[in-house]
Amino acid sequence: MKGPFTLFGAGAGAVAVAVTLAGCGGSPDAGSDGAELETVVAATASVPSFVPMYLAQQLGYTQDAGIELDTVAMERGAGPIIAALSNGSVDVAVQSPAVLAAANESGADLRFFCGSAQLITSVILTKPDSGIQEATADDWQSAVRSWKGKTLGIPTLEGAVTYTVRSLIEEAGLAPDDVELVAVGVGEGAFQTLQSDEIDLLFSFPFFTEQWTERSTVVFDWAEDAPEEMSEVMQTGWMSTKGWLDSNPETASNFCDAMTRGVEGVLTESDATREILSDRYSLSGAPIEAAMSEDGPMASQSTELDCATTNRALTAAKEAGLLQREHTCEDVVWDQKL
């Protein structure tokens, strides 16, 4: 059996967070201790990775850490983010191990310094009346084999999601072209391609899945149906250039501390979290409770960096053809975090 595989990559589902030090952004303000704050500009997307960040901002954790946080929507994939990191217009971003290692193979010098998402929490959806077999943990292979001859919508044909889905298809015993992959983007527009019968199946990220519960059926859930070695891998982490991290170790550490408080507060500060899920992700009622459940997408967030899960992700990326050579945790994690 092949190794586990990463979810986020260079496609539209990939996300990034940019941090610009004071002087690159606006004038610094004063924190609770009177010290000037470093301006942090975060590029955001509609995925769970950013709920802890929004919570840290709303509850003042970022200011406590000496950071003034601004946000900018950015959902166009990893390419522009890597370019911005390389030319210094962006200091920090969230991406997958596959993206970071591939960028380094192309001449970048990036390192993870803080974790983000540690589990695959995405699913495959169909219309409720599709008749397509639903997977179970005991027999997920036959369900995937039932996709033969079907069309499956994914964010982009160029990202790591493509290799994730193709690896799943191959592990079930199908040939890669037995299931046609179609680029449909993300969000409501992608869901409408399923509703209008342009595709038979849809790859869905957390939060979108919860919004569409009454209009769709989950036929494969990585967290519930896939073996542990296919789901328990590092998905995304906070990264920067090694030069920036070496020059700004305190800022990097403080930022990660604020994100850690945000992760811890997601469930303990439930009212604030529900407000964020409602205001920023348009969730309400049962979908909010599903997102915040013990096995929901919020529970998979962690700022820890674990070499075992990182190495699994890197090995899978190499096997999937995303990387030209082998990489290890020591190659992609900032030495102060090893």
Side-chain angles (χ1 to χ4, degrees):
M1 194 172 190
K2 293 180 182 177
F5 36 80
T6 54
L7 172 61
F8 296 97
V15 296
V17 177
V19 178
T20 305
L21 294 179
C24 297
S27 300
D29 296 319
S32 57
D33 60 357
E36 290 186 345
L37 302 178
E38 300 284 5
T39 299
V40 175
V41 181
T44 63
S46 302
V47 294
S49 302
F50 296 101
V51 174
M53 181 196 70
Y54 287 127
L55 190 69
Q57 181 184 38
Q58 182 169 313
L59 299 182
Y61 302 157
T62 49
Q63 287 199 338
D64 290 346
I67 294 167
E68 180 66 29
L69 181 64
D70 295 330
T71 62
V72 177
M74 184 179 294
E75 304 199 41
R76 292 187 174 274
I81 304 302
I82 299 302
L85 284 167
S86 297
N87 65 29
S89 59
V90 163
D91 296 313
V92 177
V94 169
Q95 274 296 344
S96 72
V99 167
L100 184 150
N104 285 352
E105 289 183 348
S106 297
D109 193 17
L110 306 174
R111 298 291 188 276
F112 288 117
F113 69 98
C114 192
S116 178
Q118 304 301 314
L119 301 172
I120 298 180
T121 54
S122 291
V123 302
I124 301 294
L125 301 175
T126 63
K127 294 176 68 174
D129 58 355
S130 71
I132 295 175
Q133 180 181 344
E134 296 181 27
T136 66
D138 293 332
D139 185 18
W140 60 271
Q141 294 96 330
S142 64
V144 174
R145 286 195 293 269
S146 74
W147 303 351
K148 185 174 182 177
K150 305 293 186 183
T151 55
L152 194 161
I154 59 176
T156 174
L157 297 179
E158 300 176 351
V161 170
T162 302
Y163 296 95
T164 296
V165 173
R166 283 181 176 163
S167 296
L168 177 69
I169 291 168
E170 291 182 35
E171 292 291 350
L174 296 178
D177 58 358
D178 280 341
V179 180
E180 181 183 2
L181 302 185
V182 180
V184 297
V186 296
E188 190 64 29
F191 187 68
Q192 288 306 312
T193 64
L194 179 66
Q195 294 292 89
S196 62
D197 295 321
E198 297 175 53
I199 58 175
D200 302 302
L201 304 119
L202 176 66
F203 182 98
S204 176
F205 292 103
F207 290 3
F208 293 124
T209 302
E210 284 76 16
Q211 293 179 54
W212 302 329
T213 299
E214 296 182 358
R215 297 180 287 161
S216 64
T217 296
V218 175
V219 293
F220 185 85
D221 184 329
W222 265 270
E224 296 292 331
D225 303 323
E228 289 183 0
E229 65 268 20
M230 293 173 62
S231 60
E232 294 188 2
V233 300
M234 179 183 178
Q235 293 303 290
T236 57
W238 297 82
M239 67 180 181
S240 184
T241 64
K242 186 176 185 300
W244 185 87
L245 291 169
D246 290 343
S247 298
N248 302 277
E250 184 175 358
T251 298
S253 179
N254 289 345
F255 187 84
C256 191
D257 287 346
M259 296 304 101
T260 299
R261 291 185 67 188
V263 167
E264 294 170 348
V266 163
L267 297 181
T268 60
E269 302 292 341
S270 58
D271 288 343
T273 303
R274 287 185 173 89
E275 181 180 344
I276 290 169
L277 293 176
S278 175
D279 293 348
R280 294 186 179 274
Y281 295 87
S282 301
L283 297 185
S284 62
I288 286 184
E289 301 312 312
M292 294 182 62
S293 65
E294 290 185 1
D295 59 352
M298 291 295 86
S300 70
Q301 304 297 296
S302 173
T303 56
E304 292 185 5
L305 289 170
D306 179 79
C307 274
T309 59
T310 302
N311 283 333
R312 290 192 202 116
L314 292 167
T315 298
K318 176 63 169 61
E319 291 182 355
L322 289 171
L323 302 175
Q324 298 301 311
R325 59 180 176 83
E326 294 183 356
H327 297 257
T328 67
C329 180
E330 288 74 15
D331 299 323
V332 301
V333 175
W334 187 32
D335 53 14
Q336 292 196 24
K337 289 291 183 174
L338 289 171

